[in-house]
Amino acid sequence: MMLNYDAPLYRPPSEARSLIFQVTLGCSFNECSFCDMYRSKEYSERPWDDVKAEIDMMAKYLPDTRRVFLADGDALNLDSEYMIKIVKYIREKFANIERISCYAMPMNILKKTSEELKKMNEAGLDMFYLGIESGSDIVLKKVTKGAVAKTIIKSVNKAKEAGYVMSCMVILGLGGKKYSKEHIKGTAEVISACSPNYVGALTLYLENGIKQEFLDKYNGEFTRINDDESLDELHDLISQIETKDEIIFRANHGSNAYTVKGTFPQDKQKMMDNVEWMKQHPEIMRPQGLRGF
């Protein structure tokens, strides 16, 4: 038995085996110029009767489910009491649940009180996936992210203090050639200031439908970085992250030319050495055609 999803449906790579419930459709912000995930949808919140019916159905068919991801891009935009109701019911119906997670935008975390965040966490919402994308306010403004470095840091720290595991994404190449240095410097500063539990580095990939909008918002200032420059950004990002807390770092997404992974702070030098080695061995690069632009 399959759920009748409202396509398109997205989830983080690490939720590949999770059961997904769409509690919202689309994204309430939907203006980031690098993201076309929900451009075809009008944002809406699904009623309790529909959500409950799907949870009931899947509890019969997949009773041993261990992980649940709440879609679409904006589940945290739900009223806190409604989210608590959903999460508690999932925990009630699936006895073996280990983790419930969802995407979270900085503005949605900041709109919740610390008390609301704690109550949702205590009810069983464990983890947020948050897009940092860049720590440069210039770049964030150009891609209409709807957040600045300060609010991103504040939101991640606020969620961590409320008990959440934070998995954050950054995008290599988002500043193009012109803003490359400040993009990486700012991004490393944001990561250092909030130490997410996980950080994933992707490389900019633009779907055809939004490519022109993205370029237009840059007013002709955007020139795409090449694979060597992407490696330089990755090296500089790793070298500039300073943290005493453990951060599991991955640059293994299909959009990346190379794979680098390790844990801060102990693997920092090893990861930098790996990037240096890769610069000498371009033959191990992923084929360009798989990564697009």
Side-chain angles (χ1 to χ4, degrees):
M1 186 70 189
M2 289 300 293
L3 288 167
N4 187 21
Y5 290 122
D6 185 307
L9 180 72
Y10 295 93
R11 46 97 186 136
S14 54
E15 299 292 337
R17 297 188 173 185
S18 301
L19 175 56
I20 301 174
F21 292 114
Q22 282 179 307
V23 296
T24 62
L25 301 178
C27 170
S28 66
F29 183 64
N30 218 14
E31 289 179 33
C32 300
S33 67
F34 53 84
C35 174
D36 82 328
M37 283 166 50
Y38 304 110
R39 294 299 182 95
S40 62
K41 294 185 180 186
E42 196 73 41
Y43 174 75
S44 64
E45 299 177 356
R46 297 192 62 221
W48 170 244
D49 287 348
D50 293 358
V51 174
K52 180 181 181 294
E54 290 184 354
I55 296 169
D56 289 339
M57 177 176 74
M58 298 317 291
K60 287 178 191 164
Y61 288 101
L62 295 171
D64 297 328
T65 293
R66 294 184 181 277
R67 290 187 175 183
V68 166
F69 180 75
L70 302 176
D72 272 335
D74 216 359
L76 195 62
N77 199 52
L78 290 176
D79 175 79
S80 300
E81 289 305 318
Y82 186 24
M83 178 64 94
I84 288 167
K85 187 176 184 178
I86 291 169
V87 169
K88 277 186 171 174
Y89 196 65
I90 290 169
R91 295 268 174 189
E92 189 183 306
K93 299 298 282 190
F94 296 91
N96 300 319
I97 287 286
E98 293 168 359
R99 186 172 88 193
I100 301 175
S101 61
C102 68
Y103 287 128
M105 291 191 295
M107 67 179 85
N108 284 345
I109 291 173
L110 296 177
K111 274 195 290 195
K112 306 283 188 197
T113 66
S114 295
E115 195 58 37
E116 285 176 304
L117 288 170
K118 281 192 184 108
K119 280 183 178 171
M120 289 189 294
N121 182 250
E122 285 161 6
L125 182 60
D126 306 293
M127 183 173 180
F128 292 146
Y129 292 89
L130 179 141
I132 291 173
E133 330 305 1
S134 176
S136 158
D137 285 351
I138 291 175
V139 173
L140 289 166
K141 190 174 180 185
K142 288 199 176 286
V143 301
T144 49
K145 168 69 182 168
V148 292
K150 191 166 75 175
T151 56
I152 294 170
I153 293 165
K154 193 175 173 187
S155 67
V156 175
N157 282 330
K158 185 176 182 179
K160 281 176 66 184
E161 282 162 20
Y164 292 89
V165 173
M166 294 299 295
S167 180
C168 295
M169 290 70 76
V170 300
I171 305 177
L172 301 172
L174 192 64
K177 287 184 192 278
K178 180 170 183 178
Y179 298 105
S180 178
K181 291 286 183 221
E182 59 197 282
H183 166 52
I184 293 304
K185 180 175 179 287
T187 303
E189 286 170 357
V190 167
I191 293 168
S192 302
C194 59
S195 294
N197 306 85
Y198 299 89
V199 171
L202 290 63
T203 301
L204 182 66
Y205 177 97
L206 293 175
E207 299 284 356
N208 285 330
I210 56 162
K211 191 183 291 184
Q212 198 54 52
E213 177 192 327
F214 178 89
L215 296 172
D216 288 347
K217 285 182 177 175
Y218 258 101
N219 279 330
E221 290 185 317
F222 188 85
T223 307
R224 187 188 180 194
I225 62 170
N226 62 32
D227 288 326
D228 285 342
E229 290 163 326
S230 179
L231 268 185
D232 288 338
E233 283 201 353
L234 186 56
H235 180 276
D236 291 349
L237 178 66
I238 292 166
S239 72
Q240 292 176 48
I241 292 172
E242 298 292 341
T243 179
K244 294 189 182 71
D245 298 330
E246 187 172 281
I247 301 175
I248 296 168
F249 183 86
R250 296 286 183 267
N252 58 357
H253 189 262
S255 62
N256 296 338
Y258 304 87
T259 292
V260 176
K261 52 188 179 181
T263 303
F264 285 97
Q266 60 265 37
D267 297 335
K268 178 173 173 173
Q269 189 58 53
K270 188 174 85 177
M271 287 192 283
M272 288 162 62
D273 293 343
N274 281 351
V275 176
E276 288 295 345
W277 183 85
M278 285 168 184
K279 286 167 90 166
Q280 311 304 319
H281 295 83
E283 71 277 4
I284 64 164
M285 193 190 302
R286 278 195 189 97
Q288 186 80 43
L290 296 179
R291 295 179 277 124
F293 174 53

